[in-house]
Amino acid sequence: MDKKEQSRPVSLRQVQVTDAFWKKEMELVRKEVIPYQWEALNDRLPDAEPSFSMRNFKIAGKITEEKRKQGDAYKEVKWPLIFQPLPEDMDHLEDRFYGCLFQDSDFSKWIEAVGYSLTQQADPELEKTADEAIDIVCAAQQDNGYLDTYYIINDQSMIFTNLRDNHELYCFGHLTEGAVAYYQATGKDKLLKAAEKYADFVASRFGEEEGKLKGYPGHEIAEMALVRLYEVTGEDKYLNLSRFFVDQRGTRPYYYDTEHPEAVKKGHEDEQRYSYNQAHLPVREQDEAVGHAVRAVYLYSGMADVARLTGDEALLEACEKLWDNITQKKMYITGGIGATHMGEAFSFNYDLPNDTAYAETCASIGLVFFARRMLEIKASSKYADVMEKALYNGILSGMALDGKSFFYVNPLESLPEACHKDERKFHVKPVRQKWFGCACCPPNLARLLSSIASYAYTEAEDALYVHLYMGSVLEKDCGGKKLDIRISSDFPWDGKVMAEINAEEPVACRLAFRIPGWCSSYTLNGQKGLEEGETVTADGETRQVKDGYLIIDRVWNGGEKLELDFPMEVRLMQADARVREDIGKAAVTRGPIVYCMEEADNGKNLQLYSLAEDPEPQAVQEEKIGQRMVTITTKGKKLVPQAEEDGELYREYKKPVYEDVLLQWIPYYAWANRGEGEMQVFIKTNR
Amino acid sequence: MDKKEQSRPVSLRQVQVTDAFWKKEMELVRKEVIPYQWEALNDRLPDAEPSFSMRNFKIAGKITEEKRKQGDAYKEVKWPLIFQPLPEDMDHLEDRFYGCLFQDSDFSKWIEAVGYSLTQQADPELEKTADEAIDIVCAAQQDNGYLDTYYIINDQSMIFTNLRDNHELYCFGHLTEGAVAYYQATGKDKLLKAAEKYADFVASRFGEEEGKLKGYPGHEIAEMALVRLYEVTGEDKYLNLSRFFVDQRGTRPYYYDTEHPEAVKKGHEDEQRYSYNQAHLPVREQDEAVGHAVRAVYLYSGMADVARLTGDEALLEACEKLWDNITQKKMYITGGIGATHMGEAFSFNYDLPNDTAYAETCASIGLVFFARRMLEIKASSKYADVMEKALYNGILSGMALDGKSFFYVNPLESLPEACHKDERKFHVKPVRQKWFGCACCPPNLARLLSSIASYAYTEAEDALYVHLYMGSVLEKDCGGKKLDIRISSDFPWDGKVMAEINAEEPVACRLAFRIPGWCSSYTLNGQKGLEEGETVTADGETRQVKDGYLIIDRVWNGGEKLELDFPMEVRLMQADARVREDIGKAAVTRGPIVYCMEEADNGKNLQLYSLAEDPEPQAVQEEKIGQRMVTITTKGKKLVPQAEEDGELYREYKKPVYEDVLLQWIPYYAWANRGEGEMQVFIKTNR
């Protein structure tokens, strides 16, 4: 690791996203999702399952206050520790915990999204609501710092006794991330102080020392959250705790065995367990992404953070192997990960079925977290290519174009009849849902989209890296001097990017622009761009291309304009031949966008279609489904079935007869916005 | 229905199967499976899960004796009614029921197979063992006739309280079938009398009358079993009870709701339930095969029996619709049925995935039962074509070539890695298993194969129908006069069939020979055979083809020879275009045999292969996997992957490059006899 290659995400306070495409998404979050989520948190949505999140905090607050008042006289009322306590009668609620046992995180993800959103758009009313919510949450905090309502309400004597399943450190992690984000956005530190106090309590209970627990989170996130806490407070103890969790994970004897002796089958003690939690091996020995996909990428994100801050080469090497395993053997072309619904997990290498794909929205979001952290260690365009792919495809597909409904699961092929009738596909919904009982994806989308600029841009003291292209206005401080950078872009529809640099005094700064992997050749100010490994120095400016970035070093005087053009041609893509489901098929892409066919445009029975030998793709800019987008038409062939009517199920093979058709392709992220219908990403080529 | 078109299966005592192919299978059953099964029934197999079947009967026998001795003083010891009680320690067994709650049927299926087997090969030792087993079983019978050890041992007060789940009438049905078979084979009626007594008890508890239960079997089979009992005893009451069960099924209010009120969700009372048990609608209103596949085809078999005996046209019409739905929309090319492992059930129309196919061996066996019963009502070759297809493919594949291991599930595509690593495919085993804890398939294979002649031949008073071709020696009684018929056949490898008819005096008889659907044109004694609808009368003989049967009416003097030739050409087959998984693919067949590719002959990565445009199939008679069989080679193409080494998972589409290869095909039933390896039935055509 070379510290000179490292960078950090820009502060959202120094960048305003002006981009038409991403601003629209951010506004959907700000105007639809955040308010809707607040209503959900307060159980005010008539047509969605109640969250009970704020209610739990209020009840916990009362308990904490009682406990404080009564001191030794306090007698705790206990409730059973079940996964999702629900009221029998919504009109008669008791003073107890309701909802999924990790429901505290609903609030935390919301406050995080609110924080980010406030950096882009001031909103005093929203901020007031947020502050009040923070008051409620902080009132629930116990004097020792503990702040998980599930245990505060149900049984305080049982805290940290089921790390594998009961999500305490998960909720702690989300709370910390939310607290840091809100503080960084508003300067208000009430929640941050609560998070620190909670972290100190966690640190007092976990560690190598005698009497402390050598456990680690069953659902990872605390690792990356503690790093954020470290970076905003400067306190080593938080980095140390994160590293402790990373180092302990998967060591023998297995910590979770002590919590769950029944998991150990007689005669099978030496077998690996807990791959679902990526706790089957010490992390530095892991080279394959396994288990629950969201947990996995959250862990790998934390590992990358710790590696960067501690210079741990072995840890970084593990990150790189895990990254390669995911992106080379376990990732959908849409950036979706986690092929199987069983365990919402990674499947085995190259097992990427299109119709049963799980590809949880949250998992792709976690992949973006992981990608950005690898970029922070070293800007290499392969990470940003994946980040971009996931953002524009498998993640955006998680939200409807109107921001009012969501997909948990993002298949690459959908047959509504199967969604309704085939229990093996019940996890695949044909249309998005308004909310879910245990609703992890919408809030995750909200916090990611609201902070999108911190994925687009990272910086070092005297360098700015541009990983994603979106219209923005940035302030870049280079060694005390300021650069104002205005970027215009029409991604994902057009590849032209304009960067205008302004300065009040000459500023030496490095600007690095990612060259998208999908672009075969680009231009800079009309001239053919440099290629990997080339360097040119002229007129006091050095340009080079390294690891997929066009790097420009110079002193900026102000008034410079950089016009990049990354031409977006329609590209047909194919999968590695070891992906059995994609043999003989191709996918249609253009720039960062992956396309799909829908029944609404092409009729039923999409399986009858194949690409013409020369598909002659045409990209068309148009208004469709209420959006400005580039759609694609290709020439295709439609199989003429031997007989339409009922009759023989199997008959003598005859050379197939096709009719010529024109196929209509829309961006994958825009699918399922016109009711139920078939959808397909990969199409047969019959070649 | 026309009584003149009806026929009954020949008695096994009047036919000896001499056929090389089927005799070999029957000998495997006789020498391997039946003895092995007896060891299993007595828990003497070291490397298989114990059955506890005979043990349960012995314990029940003790209880029955005690109850009889003690009279009113008898105090029952009760045990919990769980699905599969198992001992904690095999060295310390208690005097209680162990094993699956339907384990009694293990014995019954064994005794049935023994009965059939004895008709083909006398075996005094086996018969003695069988008689002793029957003694043990009959000793368990309660004085009132009840004979289900699960309840006799666990809680006699709870009999018939959970018809939906607890398999009493299922076990009763199998016991009855076994008893009838043994009686018909040996003339010994001890078990038959026990079955009658049990049936009388069941009839005393179930019926329309006040105070009787209006229930019906949760797992169907009693319907067809009672018909067999009726036909061997002549007692109407058994037919009436069968009809009662058929008529009650699926009527409203649902009987199972009274047993299981918790199954009725508030607000959902009017919705259909119990499709798993085909009890969602009255049977005459059912036109789609749904639910658990074995239950379904056992029901439809019983329905056909009752329809035939009662002349019930509405019931027959339902059978025909259900037959059509299965064979036109829900059946694999191998005769496998039940596409989904979820519920071991039928999926929706045309949903026939190859790799996750359930296609339970027992379900295909049940399809054969159903087919034969439809033939009994009217000989129409479409029924026999399916029967033949299932027998030679999806059923035979259920048993290893050495008779020592079995498949429960019969996929049309297998990837061992997925079997081991993908939980969604854990029901698919890459190799056959020696025995199963709840072992329904091996005994079902045993009873079917041992009685194969009763599927090949049915007869009316003056007619013999030949549905399947296998070397046999038959005695046919035609109105008191005898015909001796010797059939030689080399099916499934060669289509020539020789029938030699001998008689001591002139006998007027109709002989009907099925013309296989896979045969485009046939010859009789060297002359082109008649086609559907044609009739020729000459020399006192009338020949006609009706419903796919060549029917010859004449007076036989003895010495006549009929040489039929049904040429077996290699035929490529395709599925209806609505079967999405088979689009752009073809299957290789020859005569009744469906072929497959295995890794052992073609290497790994079968997904890289496609058929050449002109496959030039060659059929080769050879010795392979220790068997005489016809294998097939076709020209094929193998995709040359763009890059073998790790690297890009998705890359720019390039016109694929192929190398020419010769593909090796073996009969599907012979797959998985050479260790683990990939297998595929359908192959891409790239056309």
Side-chain angles (χ1 to χ4, degrees):
Chain A
M1 262 178 283
D2 184 350
K3 277 214 175 318
K4 284 196 257 83
E5 292 183 314
Q6 290 182 12
S7 62
R8 301 302 341 286
V10 297
S11 157
L12 292 176
R13 300 219 322 212
Q14 77 194 73
V15 57
Q16 279 292 308
V17 174
T18 57
D19 186 80
F21 187 89
W22 288 109
K23 195 71 187 174
K24 178 183 147 293
E25 298 298 334
M26 292 164 76
E27 284 291 278
L28 276 178
V29 169
R30 190 176 75 82
K31 290 198 265 193
E32 291 290 340
V33 186
I34 286 178
Y36 190 77
Q37 203 180 334
W38 179 241
E39 295 302 296
L41 289 175
N42 288 279
D43 313 325
R44 291 194 290 253
L45 292 177
D47 53 358
E49 289 180 58
S51 162
F52 299 110
S53 187
M54 297 314 297
R55 187 178 194 276
N56 292 337
F57 279 113
K58 289 171 188 165
I59 289 167
K62 279 198 275 182
I63 287 172
T64 293
E65 194 187 335
E66 277 307 299
K67 187 173 174 184
R68 189 178 294 126
K69 266 201 277 191
Q70 296 184 29
D72 288 330
Y74 174 72
K75 207 155 187 264
E76 191 189 357
V77 174
K78 299 195 192 218
W79 301 91
L81 293 172
I82 56 181
F83 178 74
Q84 187 180 10
L86 288 170
E88 294 199 11
D89 180 358
M90 277 304 292
D91 297 317
H92 295 101
L93 300 178
E94 298 182 89
D95 262 7
R96 64 177 293 194
F97 183 99
Y98 288 124
C100 294
L101 52 75
F102 48 77
Q103 217 68 327
D104 284 0
S105 62
D106 264 13
F107 158 78
S108 303
K109 285 187 259 192
W110 179 80
I111 202 77
E112 186 178 348
V114 168
Y116 298 141
S117 185
L118 290 173
T119 67
Q120 302 297 305
Q121 177 74 46
D123 188 335
E125 259 205 55
L126 176 60
E127 195 166 333
K128 181 164 174 291
T129 302
D131 288 335
E132 285 167 357
I134 286 169
D135 287 341
I136 292 169
V137 168
C138 290
Q141 186 165 36
Q142 304 254 290
D143 288 349
N144 60 11
Y146 187 80
L147 215 188
D148 187 299
T149 69
Y150 180 73
Y151 280 99
I152 290 172
I153 299 172
N154 287 328
D155 192 338
Q156 295 162 35
S157 72
M158 292 294 278
I159 71 169
F160 299 146
T161 57
N162 188 353
L163 298 183
R164 189 191 70 176
D165 305 331
N166 281 5
H167 283 70
E168 285 161 286
L169 296 175
Y170 170 84
C171 289
F172 159 73
H174 270 300
L175 183 78
T176 300
E177 295 230 45
V180 167
Y182 196 77
Y183 168 71
Q184 288 179 326
T186 62
K188 294 172 177 172
D189 67 355
K190 180 166 186 180
L191 192 62
L192 179 66
K193 293 244 166 291
E196 286 182 72
K197 190 169 172 185
Y198 194 3
D200 290 340
F201 177 68
V202 173
S204 76
R205 291 298 185 97
F206 289 89
E208 302 263 21
E209 304 93 301
E210 187 78 32
K212 284 191 172 179
L213 301 170
K214 291 189 176 43
Y216 35 87
H219 190 313
E220 301 95 301
I221 191 176
E223 303 84 357
M224 47 200 271
L226 282 161
V227 163
R228 289 188 77 179
L229 194 61
Y230 159 73
E231 291 189 312
V232 78
T233 62
E235 295 274 11
D236 285 350
K237 53 185 171 174
Y238 302 133
L239 175 60
N240 291 338
L241 181 58
S242 178
R243 178 162 49 177
F244 171 79
F245 284 147
V246 166
D247 289 348
Q248 286 302 309
R249 190 170 211 84
T251 54
R252 294 258 191 185
Y254 284 138
Y255 181 83
Y256 297 145
D257 282 356
T258 61
E259 287 183 341
H260 307 276
E262 75 283 358
V264 193
K265 298 202 178 95
K266 241 194 227 157
H268 297 261
E269 292 85 354
D270 291 339
E271 286 175 11
Q272 282 183 7
R273 290 183 285 290
Y274 310 120
S275 54
Y276 174 80
N277 316 75
Q278 300 78 40
H280 54 302
L281 286 172
V283 303
R284 290 168 186 76
E285 293 174 37
Q286 293 186 26
D287 57 10
E288 198 185 334
V290 295
H292 186 262
V294 177
R295 280 172 170 76
V297 283
Y298 281 15
L299 170 67
Y300 308 153
S301 298
M303 284 165 63
D305 277 340
V306 172
R308 173 175 54 83
L309 288 165
T310 62
D312 189 327
E313 294 287 351
L315 195 54
L316 175 63
E317 199 181 318
C319 289
E320 285 164 347
K321 284 184 179 157
L322 293 162
W323 174 269
D324 285 347
N325 178 248
I326 292 174
T327 57
Q328 291 174 3
K329 301 183 185 180
K330 295 186 177 183
M331 184 181 71
Y332 286 96
I333 197 173
T334 51
I337 55 171
T340 174
H341 71 287
M342 309 220 45
E344 304 173 292
F346 288 102
S347 184
F348 56 95
N349 290 341
Y350 304 108
D351 183 45
L352 292 161
N354 292 304
D355 56 348
T356 56
Y358 203 67
E360 191 186 335
T361 307
C362 288
S364 290
I365 289 173
L367 183 61
V368 166
F369 295 166
F370 185 24
R372 209 277 310 281
R373 283 156 175 77
M374 296 304 278
L375 286 167
E376 293 177 45
I377 294 172
K378 176 162 133 167
S380 173
S381 66
K382 66 178 184 177
Y383 301 120
D385 283 340
V386 167
M387 194 166 77
E388 180 188 66
K389 172 196 286 289
L391 277 163
Y392 280 104
N393 301 288
I395 291 173
L396 271 189
S397 63
M399 185 163 77
L401 295 174
D402 66 5
K404 294 180 195 285
S405 56
F406 304 89
F407 268 146
Y408 201 102
V409 168
N410 299 278
L412 277 75
E413 191 179 307
S414 179
L415 176 64
E417 185 177 18
C419 299
H420 293 301
K421 294 183 182 178
D422 185 354
E423 283 181 59
R424 291 164 300 179
K425 292 180 189 163
F426 279 178
H427 60 284
V428 182
K429 303 296 177 202
V431 286
R432 294 175 183 85
Q433 311 292 300
K434 286 196 127 162
W435 202 251
F436 322 117
C438 291
C440 63
C441 293
N444 247 352
L445 274 159
R447 68 184 184 124
L448 174 68
L449 295 177
S450 301
S451 60
I452 193 78
S454 64
Y455 295 87
Y457 306 106
T458 61
E459 61 175 348
E461 210 200 312
D462 52 4
L464 178 76
Y465 295 84
V466 181
H467 307 290
L468 305 168
Y469 292 104
M470 56 184 71
S472 320
V473 175
L474 295 102
E475 271 181 24
K476 169 72 189 125
D477 181 305
C478 271
K481 299 184 184 179
K482 254 205 306 187
L483 273 181
D484 282 312
I485 305 170
R486 176 177 299 269
I487 295 187
S488 347
S489 148
D490 199 19
F491 268 50
W493 311 127
D494 187 89
K496 289 192 197 52
V497 177
M498 175 80 81
E500 298 172 45
I501 295 94
N502 281 301
E504 298 200 337
E505 46 175 335
V507 184
C509 197
R510 160 174 287 194
L511 297 183
F513 298 90
R514 162 179 152 260
I515 303 162
W518 43 259
C519 176
S520 47
S521 81
Y522 70 101
T523 61
L524 169 61
N525 292 337
Q527 306 272 354
K528 186 176 185 305
L530 293 178
E531 291 180 35
E532 182 71 28
E534 291 183 339
T535 307
V536 161
T537 304
D539 306 323
E541 179 181 287
T542 302
R543 288 183 200 169
Q544 55 175 311
V545 173
K546 184 168 169 297
D547 298 318
Y549 282 78
L550 167 64
I551 301 171
I552 303 175
D553 288 299
R554 61 168 289 158
V555 173
W556 307 88
N557 297 306
E560 289 91 354
K561 284 184 166 56
L562 300 168
E563 193 176 311
L564 288 158
D565 191 358
F566 305 108
M568 292 183 176
E569 299 140 1
V570 176
R571 288 172 91 210
L572 296 180
M573 304 293 287
Q574 69 185 44
D576 187 290
R578 284 167 283 195
V579 182
R580 305 173 104 75
E581 287 85 355
D582 296 339
I583 287 268
K585 295 182 179 174
V588 177
T589 71
R590 181 177 178 275
I593 300 287
V594 173
Y595 283 78
C596 71
M597 287 195 297
E598 278 206 297
E599 179 179 328
D601 301 314
N602 300 284
K604 284 189 180 303
N605 291 310
L606 295 182
Q607 82 278 13
L608 300 178
Y609 292 119
S610 43
L611 269 186
E613 199 163 311
D614 183 0
E616 292 180 30
Q618 303 289 326
V620 179
Q621 177 122 193
E622 58 168 316
E623 191 84 5
K624 197 175 174 80
I625 323 175
Q627 312 283 314
R628 180 178 154 261
M629 59 171 70
V630 167
T631 61
I632 294 174
T633 58
T634 61
K635 289 188 166 176
K637 291 190 168 313
K638 184 170 184 176
L639 179 72
V640 178
Q642 276 198 38
E644 278 289 302
E645 72 285 354
D646 287 336
E648 298 280 349
L649 184 48
Y650 302 100
R651 43 179 87 90
E652 197 118 12
Y653 179 81
K654 278 192 177 61
K655 185 166 184 251
V657 173
Y658 294 99
E659 53 184 15
D660 292 336
V661 292
L662 208 61
L663 301 173
Q664 175 88 255
W665 300 81
I666 63 167
Y668 170 75
Y669 78 79
W671 88 282
N673 280 283
R674 293 175 285 181
E676 292 195 11
E678 297 179 30
M679 182 278 292
Q680 236 179 240
V681 170
F682 277 92
I683 184 173
K684 286 185 300 297
T685 57
N686 289 345
R687 300 175 83 198
Chain B
M1 259 177 287
D2 184 349
K3 278 212 173 318
K4 285 197 256 76
E5 291 182 314
Q6 291 182 12
S7 61
R8 301 302 341 286
V10 297
S11 157
L12 293 176
R13 303 226 310 221
Q14 77 194 73
V15 59
Q16 279 292 309
V17 173
T18 57
D19 186 80
F21 187 89
W22 288 108
K23 195 71 186 175
K24 178 182 147 296
E25 299 297 333
M26 292 164 76
E27 284 291 277
L28 276 178
V29 169
R30 191 177 74 82
K31 290 198 266 197
E32 292 290 341
V33 186
I34 287 178
Y36 191 77
Q37 205 180 335
W38 179 241
E39 295 304 295
L41 289 174
N42 287 279
D43 312 323
R44 290 194 290 254
L45 292 177
D47 51 0
E49 290 181 56
S51 161
F52 301 110
S53 187
M54 296 315 297
R55 187 179 192 278
N56 292 337
F57 279 113
K58 287 169 189 165
I59 288 167
K62 280 198 276 184
I63 287 172
T64 293
E65 193 187 336
E66 276 307 298
K67 187 174 174 182
R68 189 177 294 126
K69 267 202 276 192
Q70 296 187 29
D72 289 330
Y74 174 72
K75 209 158 184 264
E76 191 190 357
V77 174
K78 297 194 193 220
W79 301 91
L81 294 172
I82 55 181
F83 178 75
Q84 187 179 8
L86 288 171
E88 294 199 12
D89 181 356
M90 277 305 291
D91 297 318
H92 294 102
L93 300 177
E94 297 182 89
D95 263 7
R96 64 177 293 193
F97 183 98
Y98 288 124
C100 294
L101 52 76
F102 48 77
Q103 217 69 326
D104 283 2
S105 62
D106 264 14
F107 158 79
S108 303
K109 284 187 256 192
W110 179 80
I111 202 77
E112 186 179 348
V114 167
Y116 298 143
S117 185
L118 290 173
T119 67
Q120 302 297 303
Q121 177 75 45
D123 188 336
E125 258 205 58
L126 176 61
E127 197 167 330
K128 179 164 175 291
T129 304
D131 289 335
E132 287 167 356
I134 287 170
D135 287 342
I136 292 168
V137 167
C138 290
Q141 187 165 36
Q142 304 255 290
D143 289 348
N144 60 10
Y146 187 80
L147 214 189
D148 186 300
T149 70
Y150 180 73
Y151 280 99
I152 291 173
I153 299 171
N154 287 328
D155 191 337
Q156 294 162 34
S157 71
M158 292 293 277
I159 71 168
F160 299 146
T161 57
N162 188 351
L163 298 184
R164 190 192 69 176
D165 304 331
N166 281 5
H167 284 70
E168 284 160 284
L169 296 175
Y170 170 84
C171 290
F172 159 71
H174 269 300
L175 183 79
T176 300
E177 294 229 46
V180 167
Y182 196 77
Y183 167 71
Q184 286 179 327
T186 63
K188 293 172 176 173
D189 67 356
K190 180 166 185 178
L191 191 62
L192 178 65
K193 294 246 165 290
E196 286 182 71
K197 189 169 172 183
Y198 194 3
D200 290 341
F201 177 69
V202 173
S204 76
R205 291 297 187 97
F206 290 88
E208 301 263 20
E209 304 93 300
E210 186 80 28
K212 283 190 174 181
L213 300 170
K214 289 188 178 42
Y216 35 87
H219 191 314
E220 302 94 304
I221 191 177
E223 302 84 356
M224 48 201 268
L226 282 161
V227 163
R228 289 188 77 179
L229 193 61
Y230 158 72
E231 290 188 314
V232 79
T233 62
E235 295 275 9
D236 285 350
K237 54 185 169 173
Y238 302 133
L239 176 60
N240 291 339
L241 181 58
S242 178
R243 179 163 46 178
F244 171 80
F245 284 148
V246 167
D247 289 349
Q248 285 302 309
R249 191 168 211 86
T251 54
R252 294 256 192 186
Y254 284 138
Y255 181 83
Y256 297 144
D257 281 355
T258 60
E259 288 182 340
H260 308 277
E262 73 284 358
V264 193
K265 298 204 179 90
K266 242 193 227 160
H268 297 263
E269 292 85 354
D270 291 339
E271 286 174 12
Q272 282 183 8
R273 288 182 286 291
Y274 310 120
S275 54
Y276 174 80
N277 314 77
Q278 300 77 41
H280 54 302
L281 287 171
V283 303
R284 288 168 188 75
E285 292 174 37
Q286 294 186 25
D287 58 8
E288 197 185 336
V290 295
H292 187 262
V294 177
R295 280 171 169 76
V297 283
Y298 281 14
L299 169 66
Y300 308 154
S301 299
M303 284 166 61
D305 277 340
V306 170
R308 173 176 55 82
L309 288 165
T310 62
D312 190 327
E313 294 287 350
L315 195 53
L316 175 64
E317 198 182 320
C319 289
E320 286 164 347
K321 284 185 178 154
L322 293 162
W323 174 268
D324 285 346
N325 179 249
I326 293 175
T327 57
Q328 292 175 5
K329 301 184 186 180
K330 294 185 178 184
M331 184 181 71
Y332 286 96
I333 197 173
T334 51
I337 55 171
T340 174
H341 71 287
M342 309 221 43
E344 303 173 293
F346 288 102
S347 184
F348 56 95
N349 289 341
Y350 304 109
D351 183 45
L352 293 161
N354 292 305
D355 57 347
T356 56
Y358 202 70
E360 191 186 332
T361 308
C362 288
S364 290
I365 289 173
L367 183 60
V368 166
F369 295 166
F370 185 23
R372 209 277 311 279
R373 284 155 175 76
M374 296 303 279
L375 286 167
E376 292 177 45
I377 294 174
K378 178 162 132 168
S380 173
S381 65
K382 66 178 184 177
Y383 301 121
D385 282 341
V386 167
M387 195 166 76
E388 180 188 66
K389 172 197 288 288
L391 277 163
Y392 280 104
N393 301 288
I395 291 174
L396 271 189
S397 63
M399 185 163 76
L401 295 175
D402 66 6
K404 293 181 197 282
S405 57
F406 304 90
F407 269 146
Y408 200 103
V409 167
N410 298 278
L412 277 75
E413 189 179 309
S414 178
L415 176 64
E417 186 177 18
C419 299
H420 293 302
K421 294 182 182 177
D422 184 352
E423 283 181 58
R424 291 164 301 179
K425 292 179 188 163
F426 278 178
H427 60 284
V428 181
K429 302 296 177 201
V431 286
R432 295 174 181 85
Q433 311 292 301
K434 287 197 127 162
W435 202 252
F436 320 117
C438 291
C440 61
C441 293
N444 247 352
L445 274 159
R447 67 183 185 125
L448 174 67
L449 296 177
S450 303
S451 61
I452 193 75
S454 63
Y455 295 87
Y457 307 106
T458 62
E459 61 176 347
E461 210 200 313
D462 51 2
L464 178 76
Y465 294 84
V466 181
H467 306 290
L468 305 170
Y469 293 103
M470 56 184 71
S472 321
V473 175
L474 293 102
E475 272 182 21
K476 170 70 188 127
D477 181 307
C478 269
K481 299 184 185 180
K482 258 205 306 191
L483 272 181
D484 282 313
I485 305 172
R486 176 176 299 269
I487 295 188
S488 347
S489 148
D490 200 19
F491 267 51
W493 312 127
D494 188 271
K496 288 190 199 55
V497 177
M498 175 81 80
E500 297 172 45
I501 294 92
N502 281 302
E504 298 199 335
E505 46 173 336
V507 183
C509 198
R510 160 174 287 195
L511 297 183
F513 297 89
R514 161 178 153 261
I515 301 162
W518 44 258
C519 176
S520 47
S521 82
Y522 70 101
T523 61
L524 170 60
N525 292 336
Q527 307 271 354
K528 187 176 184 302
L530 293 177
E531 291 180 33
E532 182 70 28
E534 292 183 340
T535 305
V536 161
T537 304
D539 306 321
E541 178 180 290
T542 303
R543 289 183 199 169
Q544 56 175 311
V545 174
K546 185 168 167 299
D547 297 317
Y549 282 80
L550 167 65
I551 301 171
I552 304 175
D553 287 296
R554 60 169 289 159
V555 172
W556 307 87
N557 297 306
E560 289 91 352
K561 283 183 167 54
L562 301 167
E563 193 176 313
L564 288 157
D565 191 356
F566 305 108
M568 293 183 175
E569 300 140 1
V570 176
R571 289 172 90 211
L572 297 180
M573 305 292 286
Q574 69 185 45
D576 185 291
R578 283 166 285 195
V579 182
R580 306 174 103 77
E581 288 84 357
D582 296 338
I583 288 269
K585 295 182 180 174
V588 177
T589 71
R590 181 177 179 277
I593 300 288
V594 173
Y595 284 77
C596 71
M597 287 195 297
E598 278 207 299
E599 179 179 329
D601 301 312
N602 300 284
K604 282 190 181 299
N605 291 312
L606 296 180
Q607 82 277 13
L608 300 178
Y609 293 119
S610 42
L611 270 186
E613 200 163 309
D614 182 0
E616 292 180 31
Q618 302 290 328
V620 179
Q621 177 122 195
E622 59 168 314
E623 191 86 5
K624 198 175 173 78
I625 324 176
Q627 312 285 313
R628 177 178 157 261
M629 60 172 67
V630 168
T631 61
I632 293 175
T633 58
T634 61
K635 288 190 168 177
K637 291 190 167 313
K638 183 171 184 175
L639 178 72
V640 178
Q642 277 199 37
E644 277 290 303
E645 72 286 356
D646 288 335
E648 298 279 352
L649 184 48
Y650 301 101
R651 42 180 86 92
E652 197 119 12
Y653 179 81
K654 279 195 176 59
K655 186 169 184 247
V657 173
Y658 293 99
E659 52 186 17
D660 292 335
V661 292
L662 208 61
L663 301 173
Q664 175 88 253
W665 301 81
I666 63 166
Y668 170 77
Y669 77 79
W671 88 281
N673 280 283
R674 292 175 285 180
E676 291 196 11
E678 299 179 30
M679 182 279 291
Q680 237 180 240
V681 170
F682 276 92
I683 184 173
K684 285 186 302 295
T685 57
N686 287 347
R687 299 175 84 197

